[in-house]
Amino acid sequence: MDKTALLQQIFGYSSFRPGQEELIDGVLGGRDVFGIMPTGGGKSMCYQIPGLILPGITLVISPLISLMRDQVMALKTAGVPAAFINSTLNAAQMQAVYRNLLAGQYKIVYVAPERLDYGGFGSIAEKLPISFIAVDEAHCISQWGQDFRPSYLRIVNFIENLPRRPVVGAFTATATKQVREDVERILKLQDPVRTVTGFDRPNLYFEVIRPERKEKELLRLLASRRNKSGIIYCATRKKVESVCETLRDHGYAATRYHAGLEEKERTENQEDFLYDRKTVMVATNAFGMGIDKSNVSYVIHYNMPKSIEAYYQEAGRAGRDGAEAECFLLYSSSDVTTAKFFINSDSENEEMDPKQREMVRQQDLARLDAMVGYCKTDTCLRGYILEYFGQKHPEVCGNCGTCMGDFETVDITKEAQMILSCVRRIYDKLGYYVGVATVARVLQGSKEKKLLALGLHELSTYGLLNTMGRTEIRAMAERLEGEGYLVTEEEHKTLRLTPEAAQVLFQGKKVTMLVRKEEIQAVNAPAAGKLAGTDGELYDALRELRAELAQESHIPAYMVFSNATLTDMARKKPATMSEFKRVSGVGEIKAAWYGQQFLERIKAFREENELA
Ligand code: ADP
Ligand code: ZN
């Protein structure tokens, strides 16, 4: 099967994301690859798909135990034979995995780096037909990176001891030049296909808040996000404890995670969060490495983290399924003091010599400066982050605290259609174009004599926007002009349609606009990206069904389908199995497992609501 067919049938996605195809083609063509992609960019597809196509076995080296378990579970759910090897397996389980490995029963096997030369894996590996080794989180091999792991240095040796060198791929979300060079050099990548995918995550909203009292601010933020799943990062264990307690006192289903807890409790709490038994996770930065929970709707930093890298990685755990999500940072100047304290007393670097350690300390302080800069900037927040990663960006993103200020994006498609069609009908009636003022008056249903004399009150668009002020209609017309659907003719200042207007009028193309929050009620349209009316109700019904199914088969809800998939399903309302498979995120296997139940629920919903 070719890569696109696999993407559709196994994973249920209709097209590749930027960078994925080049990397997959590189591997399939026998080239080493080096993929740099932001968190949530879709790195795993770049080794899973080649893993399915290539003969023999693909080894994925990853330091993240929970990610391994998650991905193996997800692969099995999608019908792919996969396994992991790490310290969570007992001796008997390990033997079973080895046996199956030698019997050729797996296509994709995840291995922790410290297992590569441990417990006989090395000698087993020699006998395996390994086609491809994917090194995930490849920046861990660099001392310049923020998560250097000495065990990563063993990978090189492991590869060199294999009877035949497989294709090697490295994947990371860390983009700095120094780290990139280290990865290529130390891993000895051979003329790799390199791709650096844009770091932008357009579905994430960024905001920095400087509250007088953080606790109060946090409660305010959470009040309107009660049913959503989110993570709250705190700088210290003590803070995690107190914030978690406060939230529980206020009736939130909150749990906690930090390195001071017993392993058993950490695991339990993490699972409570993954399986949606608890909606809020309060944690130190010890939480989240490798957590692939795709339906996290917000990440709130109660304290400022120590670098933009760390911040973007943690905040990036929101909205991994592509659905709209929010990232708030609650800043106070005491956060800087705490962060400096951590940098100056870092004990993790004990295996380094004093000179090295001092160098790392200086780098950390420089990273901290950049982080503080983010909290203080009055420019676009997304722009600030992208700039840091060396990526070009527009000056205004339209989806961050700075760019939106007191603004919010609203969907004005319906109003846009009315305006455009009004322009059209006036022209049809009069044989000439008129200015924006007349168009606005017609839409408002004005009783002006001149208008009545021209017979414009007979138009079907007359009075359609009679709840709106003239300035609002003008503002929308300006927006339409900005988007190229209308032009003002120079000489007589008349408003004309462009050919592009047809996209909005007849093809349902969406138009959005930034509107001041206090004006939103007037425009009275649902915010962009969210589901309105019956679609929203159906979405809730589908979510319920998802929760039931997840509970039945003891897997987290997002593994049944992601939020983005449910959103698409609620919009498309499939009636047949083949329509169902066209929903984004629905592959063959999942369609077979869950299709019937979802189709029935949608059908019931249609009947209850008397939808055609
Ligand atoms: P990361 O780069 O952080 O490892 P993942 O591989 O976990 O990202 O992918 C993040 C999310 O994006 C997952 O839910 C994955 O299923 C989804 N995804 C990956 N590739 C595509 C694609 N081509 N189309 C739609 N969704 C995709
Ligand atoms: Zn912005």
Side-chain angles (χ1 to χ4, degrees), residues 380-383 395-400 402-403:
C380 170
L381 294 173
R382 182 185 316 278
E395 211 163 309
V396 173
C397 76
N399 192 23
C400 78
T402 311
C403 293

